[in-house]
Amino acid sequence: MTQTTRNIVMIRPTHFFSNPETRASNRFQQPDADSATAQARAVAEFDGYVAALRTAGVGVLVIDDQPQGNTPDSIFPNNWISMHPDGRVFLYPMEAPNRRRERRDSVIARIRAEFAVGEVCDLSAFEAEGQFLEGTGSMVFDHDYRLAYVCRSSRSHPEVLAALLPRLDYRAVVFDAVDRGGAAIYHTNVMMAVGRRLAVVCLEAIRPAAARERVRAQLHRHGKQLIDIDYTQMENFCGNVIELADAAGNAVFAMSSRAWHAFSPAQQAIFTAHGTVAHAPLDTIEQLGGGGARCMVAENFLPRHP
């Protein structure tokens, strides 16, 4: 399995708003009073981001969310599905009850129309035990080295990890990461990203210092050039980026405009030296949803039908 893919799945929202069921564990959500126009603003941002990705050469399969239903976070499909090159699709247990409605057979059927789906591996039964693992939000994969980086939170349960990782033949690098207020960071992918040659990580969030050095050493051991971001940059979603690929296999670094402008000029130069940067404004989605550019992307490693 290669680290990056050109093909991704994105879900266009139909009822986006700040989800009250996720606020307790997601400190990145900053709900405001102006929620009446949230859906229209989110769709405009979504479409602008899709356009930026397609212009950069990324293949985007857009699927509309169901017209009815309480699914305010459907715009973040990477939390409930992952798609693998051997044809397997994994479905993940979600902490918020209204997020469980995002797992839809119709989405998988739409993917099947273009890509070869073999086994669907459904881990959602762990929800009945109060155990959750929210896909590539909870886990940041280094596919080249068969690793999953995981920061502990209520959304990353060790029992679900223990059930998943042997099936992938991956091992976990587990650590604690906290925000500047000392609260556990809800998803690993808002504080770090791993690409083929680059890794973005908020090292100061990892506690204690020994764990911080263990993560740093692991990334260096596997040849990653580190872009170390601080708390302010993390809060501006600099950790919520993803490396994709264009049709020729060249790197495309996808992020929000807010994140791009929060990187220092020296950090921006590292990205542009390694590939193309695709960014778009996602302010409404980031503020109300507490997730951003990476959360909106479900990587699709499935083989395409001949």
Side-chain angles (χ1 to χ4, degrees):
M1 187 167 183
T2 59
Q3 180 62 14
T4 60
T5 180
R6 182 191 181 211
N7 295 309
I8 64 174
V9 175
M10 297 178 66
I11 306 294
R12 181 184 282 115
T14 57
H15 297 283
F16 177 81
F17 56 90
S18 188
N19 188 352
E21 294 188 14
T22 59
R23 288 177 198 162
S25 60
N26 183 350
R27 302 294 183 91
F28 286 74
Q29 283 181 252
Q30 300 293 326
D32 62 11
D34 185 18
S35 59
T37 60
Q39 165 64 17
R41 287 181 285 151
V43 168
E45 292 174 3
F46 177 94
D47 289 342
Y49 183 37
V50 169
L53 291 170
R54 286 175 171 164
T55 297
V58 177
V60 187
L61 172 59
V62 173
I63 302 173
D64 287 331
D65 191 16
Q66 54 194 348
Q68 303 296 328
N70 179 21
T71 52
D73 284 333
S74 62
I75 200 168
F76 305 132
N78 78 306
N79 298 145
W80 67 265
I81 187 170
S82 66
M83 295 160 277
H84 300 260
D86 60 3
R88 286 186 296 174
V89 170
F90 283 85
L91 309 182
Y92 294 94
M94 308 290 288
E95 183 177 60
N98 66 7
R99 293 215 62 189
R100 299 167 193 174
R101 292 191 284 270
E102 297 171 30
R103 291 189 304 259
R104 291 192 286 124
D105 290 341
S106 60
V107 171
I108 299 172
R110 179 65 185 86
I111 295 168
R112 282 185 191 272
E114 297 186 32
F115 298 89
V117 175
E119 181 184 6
V120 176
C121 308
D122 189 352
L123 301 173
S124 63
F126 281 96
E127 290 166 352
E129 306 299 321
Q131 299 173 349
F132 316 110
L133 185 70
E134 297 189 340
T136 53
S138 295
M139 302 173 289
V140 172
F141 286 129
D142 186 338
H143 296 299
D144 290 337
Y145 293 94
R146 310 191 78 82
L147 292 177
Y149 290 89
V150 183
C151 69
R152 294 182 180 91
S153 79
S154 62
R155 306 196 194 189
S156 302
H157 199 282
E159 293 294 330
V160 193
L161 265 179
L164 170 72
L165 294 184
R167 301 179 73 172
L168 294 176
D169 191 24
Y170 282 32
R171 58 189 178 89
V173 179
V174 181
F175 54 90
D176 292 304
V178 298
D179 64 21
R180 67 168 76 237
I185 293 174
Y186 79 108
H187 275 164
T188 314
N189 78 353
V190 294
M191 55 79 58
M192 75 178 297
V194 175
R196 287 178 289 186
R197 299 180 182 88
L198 301 181
V200 180
V201 60
C202 183
L203 286 171
E204 70 174 319
I206 301 175
R207 309 290 172 85
R212 182 181 309 137
E213 292 309 310
R214 180 167 56 89
V215 172
R216 187 204 304 268
Q218 185 78 71
L219 292 166
H220 276 144
R221 188 177 306 120
H222 293 149
K224 310 299 183 186
Q225 180 178 356
L226 299 192
I227 299 177
D228 184 8
I229 59 174
D230 60 25
Y231 270 133
T232 299
Q233 290 177 306
M234 183 184 74
E235 292 158 357
N236 282 283
F237 292 88
C238 289
N240 198 235
V241 305
I242 182 170
E243 182 181 340
L244 301 168
D246 63 17
N250 300 310
V252 176
F253 299 102
M255 64 188 73
S256 69
S257 296
R258 175 182 176 185
W260 174 244
H261 295 301
F263 283 112
S264 71
Q267 291 168 332
Q268 290 177 341
I270 295 172
F271 284 115
T272 56
H274 285 83
T276 299
V277 175
H279 67 86
L282 300 174
D283 295 349
T284 300
I285 295 166
E286 290 174 332
Q287 179 181 350
L288 299 185
R294 196 276 169 264
C295 303
M296 296 167 67
V297 168
E299 297 155 284
N300 181 2
F301 291 93
L302 296 166
R304 187 180 287 275
H305 290 312

